[in-house]
Amino acid sequence: MTIVHSLERSAEVLKYSKSVIVFAGAGLSAESGLPTFRDQGGLWEGHRVEDVAEPGGFTRDPLLVWRFYAERQTRQLQVQPNAGHFALAQMETHFPDFLLVTQNVDNLSERAGSQKIVKIHGDLMEVWCSLCSWKSRLDMPVVLESLRSVDDIPRCPKCAELVRPGVVWFGEMLPPGTIDVSLSTAAKADVLLIVGTSGLVSGGYGLAETTKASGGTVVEINPAETYLSGIVDICIRSASSVALPKLLALIVS
Ligand code: OAD
């Protein structure tokens, strides 16, 4: 299959589309100042996944895990959405049928105005009970200030177990319903826009196959080639903060 490299061609296809699904990853927030995971200097270069992103890591050292996520929440509250987040929020109002499926646990898309979002890896602003289904929103930096030992970690008001960051870890199920709604939307989408993800986890390939199987077009926006590049129809090799506003301008013109 020949892959077309063209922002203009992507805009042409989008211009005549009614149903659009976006599958986003850490690259979308990179230019806001949040590190990706697998790029140089990414989060997984500086931390061992098994320590901070697996249930076993939390069991072994909950304090380390709390500090890691509280620092990430602090950082996300200090940075601002970029032009890519704002362009996606605008696209949501332009297409009759639109869904942003994001792997990002940051809140930058919401802060840019996106409302039709499915957060398949959880939400860094939330905490979940490590045992029961209780969940809540929590200002982690405030907790961090008084976090000296495991005894300072908040406990679930329902079952008294330790509270954990509201983020999906490796080996865990994605939040109920998120895969179903993503796949059913991908199946009727005219376009699947894959933005800023290496595609190495969480079903990006399956979404692309689903959209293609029903005759839709798959577009990738990423400055680098990825695991998903082989399946896409059109590539835009550019930062999302540059490509998305340009696409939006061409779509609405
Ligand atoms: P990765 O770090 O795996 O990939 C980031 C992608 O963003 C790479 O393909 C980069 O080329 C691309 N990128 C970098 N800068 C960009 C920019 N300015 N514009 C557009 N793209 C850019 O991050 P994800 O694919 O999001 O899961 O990782 C998926 C999941 O793996 C994460 O949600 C996380 C991680 O383990 C959990 O924490 C559960």
Side-chain angles (χ1 to χ4, degrees):
M1 190 188 71
T2 316
I3 301 168
V4 177
H5 289 259
S6 169
L7 187 137
E8 289 71 21
R9 177 72 193 124
S10 310
E12 247 169 63
V13 177
L14 279 163
K15 206 171 169 81
Y16 298 102
S17 295
K18 291 204 167 7
S19 176
V20 173
I21 179 169
V22 179
F23 183 63
L28 175 64
S29 299
E31 280 159 283
S32 291
L34 297 181
T36 62
F37 294 90
R38 297 174 181 81
D39 293 314
Q40 211 181 357
L43 274 179
W44 293 161
E45 200 176 82
H47 297 88
R48 281 157 42 102
V49 170
E50 56 271 39
D51 288 341
V52 295
E54 285 182 7
F58 186 70
T59 309
R60 281 192 301 278
D61 193 345
L63 207 53
L64 173 89
V65 173
W66 256 86
R67 290 203 170 111
F68 174 73
Y69 288 94
E71 276 156 20
R72 280 178 65 193
Q73 200 198 73
T74 308
R75 179 76 188 133
Q76 85 167 14
L77 294 170
Q78 289 165 343
V79 303
Q80 301 304 324
N82 66 52
H85 297 106
F86 286 111
L88 286 180
Q90 289 289 310
M91 283 186 197
E92 175 179 315
T93 62
H94 180 80
F95 295 105
D97 198 4
F98 183 93
L99 185 68
L100 169 58
V101 178
T102 186
Q103 299 166 90
N104 297 343
V105 295
D106 68 55
N107 61 2
L108 296 180
S109 287
E110 293 95 316
R111 283 165 58 197
S114 285
Q115 292 182 11
K116 295 178 182 169
I117 309 185
V118 171
K119 299 187 83 145
I120 60 172
H121 288 170
D123 187 335
L124 201 44
M125 298 307 294
E126 283 187 2
V127 287
W128 301 338
C129 175
S130 55
L131 185 68
C132 76
S133 59
W134 179 87
K135 55 166 72 174
S136 181
R137 296 184 83 75
L138 188 75
D139 192 344
M140 287 194 194
V142 170
V143 177
L144 187 63
E145 277 171 28
S146 55
L147 210 59
R148 311 260 179 280
S149 76
V150 178
D151 295 338
D152 302 320
I153 295 176
R155 296 244 163 207
C156 172
K158 277 175 78 180
C159 74
E161 260 309 321
L162 285 181
V163 157
R164 56 167 276 186
V167 169
V168 176
W169 288 327
F170 287 98
E172 294 184 319
M173 306 282 279
L174 300 185
T178 54
I179 286 298
D180 291 349
V181 73
S182 305
L183 283 172
S184 60
T185 309
K188 60 180 182 211
D190 300 314
V191 176
L192 163 65
L193 209 51
I194 300 175
V195 181
T197 178
S198 61
L200 289 167
V201 295
S202 288
Y205 204 90
L207 288 184
E209 280 183 324
T210 304
T211 296
K212 283 179 80 107
S214 48
T217 304
V218 181
V219 177
E220 177 179 63
I221 299 178
N222 198 310
E225 193 171 320
T226 73
Y227 171 67
L228 301 176
S229 299
I231 196 176
V232 308
D233 301 295
I234 312 177
C235 274
I236 304 175
R237 288 272 165 263
S238 164
S240 47
S241 67
V242 176
L244 285 168
K246 278 189 188 165
L247 267 185
L248 176 68
L250 289 170
I251 295 164
V252 299
S253 67

